[in-house]
């Protein structure tokens, strides 16, 4: 008994001193449950899966007061003219959208293969016209519609490998699963913070890199404040810095839902200045380019206000805060 007691205490001590081991165990259980539900829902028709998950998301939305308040504040900032009833409608739709996204990802291969691809030809034509030798192409996107499927549809339809910048999920098993799902449809995942030389090498080899630019940039990370719906929003400068460094143009491509299913719209290309940029002007150029990208995002959200992820605290970082985002 004493031996078993000591063994138990040693095990307990190891778990206490190694939180990563305990977290991995809990994450592993959560991942297995996720995959079991995923597999079960994949056996159902897409329409049934979508109705079930949209209803579940809607139910969660009724009780999730914290995110409802975030959405309401964001809508007041962006569309102060909306009535309370219209804000409630968009709030409810924002929750239902997550159920639709999940359903379409569960049935990913079928959705990608049946999705309209007219926009892919438009993107490919624009990319051909924009791409200069040794520059590649940067793609601006945002969390609108089923943003996760845009790269997959594009990759499968064009046969082209597309790289996306990605923030790792908290559950490493789920994160690895997401990466595998993307890779099966010609989408490479690059961790944010990956060596700049790897990204530059891909662009100079004529590759394409996509990045969402509609999330708050926390203090301490490279960012600038640019107007979004008339209010300063801390915004990452990664696309502007890459565009300036390589001369690569930036092409806005945003996912949207239409009556026929997942689709996408193409915005106006944003070109970097031609020729070397003096060091004294570099910060101003990066700010100007980032502002131009943000205007494209705002235009897309204005066209489809019920399809953007309003639950994100986009204006969380404020200019007056100590350690505010700085231009770079």
């Amino acid at each position: 008994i004493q031996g078993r007691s000591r063994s138990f205490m040693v095990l307990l001590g190891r778990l206490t001193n190694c939180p990563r081991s305990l977290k991995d165990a809990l994450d592993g259980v959560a991942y297995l449950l996720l995959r079991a539900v995923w597999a079960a829902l994949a056996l159902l028709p897409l329409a049934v899966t979508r109705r079930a998950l949209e209803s579940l998301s809607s139910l969660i939305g009724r009780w999730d007061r914290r995110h409802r308040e975030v959405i309401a504040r964001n809508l007041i900032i962006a569309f102060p003219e909306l009535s309370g009833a219209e804000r409630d409608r968009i709030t409810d739709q924002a929750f239902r959208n997550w159920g639709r996204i999940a359903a379409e990802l569960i049935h990913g291969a079928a959705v990608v293969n049946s999705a309209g691809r007219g926009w892919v030809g438009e993107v490919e034509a624009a990319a051909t016209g924009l791409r200069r030798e040794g520059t590649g192409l940067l793609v601006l996107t945002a969390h609108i519609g089923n943003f996760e499927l845009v790269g997959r549809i594009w990759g499968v339809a064009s046969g082209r490998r597309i790289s996306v910048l990605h923030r790792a999920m908290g559950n490493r098993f789920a994160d690895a699963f997401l990466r595998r799902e993307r890779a099966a449809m010609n989408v490479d995942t690059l961790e944010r913070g990956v060596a700049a030389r790897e990204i530059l090498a891909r662009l100079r080899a004529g590759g394409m890199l996509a990045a969402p630019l509609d999330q708050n940039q926390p203090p301490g990370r490279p960012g600038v404040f640019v107007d979004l719906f008339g209010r300063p929003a801390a915004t990452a400068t990664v696309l502007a810095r890459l565009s300036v460094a390589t001369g690569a143009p930036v092409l806005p491509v945003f996912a949207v839902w239409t009556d026929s299913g997942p689709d996408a719209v193409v915005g106006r290309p944003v070109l970097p200045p031609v020729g070397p940029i003096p060091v004294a002007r570099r910060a101003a150029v990066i700010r100007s380019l980032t502002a131009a990208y943000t205007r494209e995002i705002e235009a897309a959200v204005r066209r489809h206000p019920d399809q953007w992820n309003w639950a994100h605290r986009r204006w969380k970082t404020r200019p007056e805060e100590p350690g505010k985002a700085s231009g770079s």
Side-chain angles (χ1 to χ4, degrees):
I1 294 174
Q2 288 178 347
R4 290 180 179 177
S5 178
R6 281 196 299 270
S7 298
F8 174 77
M9 294 305 295
V10 169
L11 175 60
L12 182 61
R14 287 177 178 174
L15 289 175
T16 303
N17 294 327
C18 301
R20 177 60 185 268
S21 299
L22 180 57
K23 183 180 185 306
D24 278 353
L26 295 175
D27 284 352
V29 171
Y31 171 68
L32 290 175
L33 290 173
L34 169 67
R35 290 303 307 275
V37 174
W38 188 287
L41 291 174
L43 297 175
L44 302 175
L46 171 60
V48 175
T49 303
R50 178 180 161 185
R51 282 197 300 271
L53 293 183
E54 283 188 349
S55 298
L56 176 61
S57 297
S58 180
L59 180 62
I60 292 172
R62 294 178 187 176
W63 296 96
D64 189 349
R65 298 183 63 85
R66 183 169 69 89
H67 284 104
R68 290 191 73 88
E69 289 173 0
V70 170
I71 295 171
R73 286 197 298 269
N74 287 344
L75 286 170
I76 290 172
I77 291 172
F79 300 110
E81 71 280 5
L82 289 181
S83 66
E86 185 62 11
R87 284 200 302 271
D88 286 343
R89 185 192 70 79
I90 294 176
T91 298
D92 292 338
Q93 188 59 48
F95 281 99
R96 295 183 67 86
N97 287 345
W98 286 107
R100 179 170 184 173
I101 289 171
E104 290 176 351
L105 291 181
I106 290 170
H107 292 267
V111 173
V112 167
N113 290 330
S114 62
R117 301 183 180 186
W119 63 271
V120 176
E122 183 181 353
V123 170
E124 284 292 309
T128 300
L130 289 170
R131 189 184 291 110
R132 298 192 297 272
E133 184 177 355
T135 64
L137 181 69
L138 294 165
V139 178
L140 167 69
T141 190
H143 295 83
I144 303 173
N146 197 333
F147 51 88
E148 182 63 38
L149 287 184
V150 169
R152 302 185 193 187
I153 295 170
W154 189 355
V156 170
S158 67
R160 187 188 304 279
R161 204 74 178 173
I162 298 166
S163 300
V164 296
L165 287 183
H166 167 79
R167 286 181 182 172
M169 300 170 65
N171 187 317
R172 67 186 183 93
F173 304 106
D175 190 71
F177 174 64
L178 174 61
R179 291 168 183 263
R180 291 194 301 271
E181 290 282 294
R182 288 173 172 171
M185 297 186 187
N186 273 351
V187 178
D188 286 332
T189 303
L190 296 179
E191 192 75 36
R192 286 185 181 269
V194 69
R197 61 178 177 272
E198 179 180 345
I199 296 176
L200 294 175
R202 292 192 183 204
L203 290 173
R204 286 167 180 158
M208 289 191 293
L209 174 70
L213 216 66
D214 61 338
Q215 292 188 311
N216 179 67
Q217 187 73 339
R221 293 181 180 174
V224 291
F225 286 96
V226 295
D227 276 358
L228 176 65
F229 290 100
R231 185 169 182 175
T235 306
T237 54
V238 58
L239 279 184
R241 288 183 284 119
L242 287 172
S243 183
V244 167
T246 63
V250 172
L251 181 65
V253 180
F254 304 111
V256 295
W257 282 302
T258 65
D259 292 340
S260 58
D263 206 332
V265 295
V266 183
R268 294 175 297 180
V270 181
L271 307 179
V274 177
I277 300 172
V279 174
R281 289 193 59 242
R282 188 172 185 276
V285 169
I286 287 175
R287 180 184 295 275
S288 176
L289 290 172
T290 304
Y293 307 153
T294 304
R295 286 194 294 271
E296 288 294 319
I297 291 173
E298 180 177 328
V301 175
R302 285 186 179 278
R303 287 194 297 268
H304 304 280
D306 57 349
Q307 296 192 27
W308 193 40
N309 176 26
W310 292 99
H312 174 68
R313 294 181 64 189
R314 182 62 184 92
W315 291 274
K316 180 179 180 180
T317 304
R318 305 305 308 140
E320 63 274 16
E321 291 179 357
K324 65 182 180 181
S326 59
S328 60

